[in-house]
Amino acid sequence: MSFWDIVWFIFITFAFVAYLMILFSILGDLFRDKETSGVVKALWIIALVVLPFLTALVYLIVRGHGMADRSVQQAQEIKKAQDEYIRDVAGVTPTEQIAKAKDLLDSGAISQAEFDKLKTKALG
């Protein structure tokens, strides 16, 4: 086995892994999209099986602009659900957090800027 065989193997492996990442990204985006019908999703998947490289390229050109938007939207939904879960488990409402921060401000333990920061965090 020569040096160039090893380089070629590394290049092919890199290209294959990159293609798999793109393929899984496309599949994730397809299932994440709530506006696309099931029939259209099935057609995209069939096309990905029959003509994988061409279909992946066409998908990225045609629907690529919305992939990032759907990904960001899903991340925001997940973060919102996590924040709600943490608040439920912690048992402290934003009103209680602000009241505690106000008590700390009145006692002089924190400054007005720190109180404002805590209040913004509790409301956010």
Side-chain angles (χ1 to χ4, degrees), residues 62-90:
V62 173
R63 296 182 44 95
H65 60 86
M67 288 178 76
D69 296 337
R70 286 184 288 276
S71 179
V72 167
Q73 181 183 8
Q74 183 186 28
Q76 289 172 345
E77 290 172 0
I78 290 171
K79 183 177 181 343
K80 182 179 175 185
Q82 286 177 335
D83 290 344
E84 289 175 6
Y85 175 75
I86 291 170
R87 282 191 186 116
D88 289 343
V89 171

Side-chain angles (χ1 to χ4, degrees), residues 5-95:
D5 289 337
I6 294 171
V7 170
W8 182 248
F9 176 76
I10 291 171
F11 176 76
I12 294 297
T13 303
F14 173 78
F16 181 70
V17 169
Y19 171 71
L20 286 178
M21 290 175 64
I22 291 170
L23 183 68
F24 288 127
S25 177
I26 289 171
L27 289 172
D29 184 61
L30 271 173
F31 289 110
R32 183 181 309 122
D33 189 6
K34 297 174 185 170
E35 297 174 4
T36 304
S37 71
V39 173
V40 174
K41 291 177 184 181
L43 290 174
W44 274 112
I45 291 172
I46 291 169
L48 279 168
V49 171
V50 174
L51 296 169
F53 294 111
L54 180 63
T55 305
L57 185 62
V58 169
Y59 187 90
L60 291 175
I61 292 169
V62 173
R63 296 182 44 95
H65 60 86
M67 288 178 76
D69 296 337
R70 286 184 288 276
S71 179
V72 167
Q73 181 183 8
Q74 183 186 28
Q76 289 172 345
E77 290 172 0
I78 290 171
K79 183 177 181 343
K80 182 179 175 185
Q82 286 177 335
D83 290 344
E84 289 175 6
Y85 175 75
I86 291 170
R87 282 191 186 116
D88 289 343
V89 171
V92 179
T93 65
T95 307

